[in-house]
Amino acid sequence: RNRRTVLYAAVEGDAAVHDATLRWVERAVIGLNLCPWAKPALTRGHILIKVSHASSVAELKEEVLAEARKMAADEDGQDTWLVVTERLLPDFLHYNAVANAID
């Protein structure tokens, strides 16, 4: 199967975060069938994982919005874009609040 994903790497540790995120997509999102589009996107290599180094929620919001603008203009056909922050959002409630603010 094609496992081509895209990683914007800023530091060496980003590869570990990228790999952990990819395993989560495979095991949780695809394994539990949470998203019917995830498996075909992964198979085609159309998942982009961006590891964020934002130091504040405001920076993270701007980064997510910038990635959304890139996604809208994408001509490479990436189906799924994930922006991953390793430490900024400590739990689901924080994630949900930020996601709702961005939405």
Side-chain angles (χ1 to χ4, degrees):
R1 77 181 180 200
N2 184 347
R3 295 192 49 140
R4 179 179 58 99
T5 59
V6 179
L7 167 65
Y8 294 132
V11 296
E12 231 175 87
D14 287 358
V17 174
H18 172 274
D19 292 347
T21 302
L22 190 56
R23 281 192 308 276
W24 172 78
V25 168
E26 292 172 332
R27 292 178 184 164
V29 178
I30 294 171
L32 297 172
N33 200 27
L34 299 176
C35 175
W37 301 279
K39 187 173 183 177
L42 182 64
T43 301
R44 289 190 311 273
H46 287 199
I47 294 180
L48 182 141
I49 298 171
K50 164 113 175 25
V51 179
S52 172
H53 294 278
S55 60
S56 70
V57 170
E59 281 181 31
L60 179 63
K61 287 179 186 177
E62 287 304 314
E63 193 168 356
V64 169
L65 292 173
E67 290 300 317
R69 287 188 288 275
K70 287 181 194 176
M71 184 175 148
D74 179 45
E75 296 178 8
D76 293 331
Q78 297 297 330
D79 294 334
T80 303
W81 292 43
L82 303 172
V83 177
V84 180
T85 178
E86 191 175 7
R87 295 184 181 90
L88 194 57
L89 305 174
D91 56 41
F92 184 75
L93 291 176
H94 285 92
Y95 159 79
N96 206 32
V98 172
N100 285 333
I102 292 171
D103 193 28

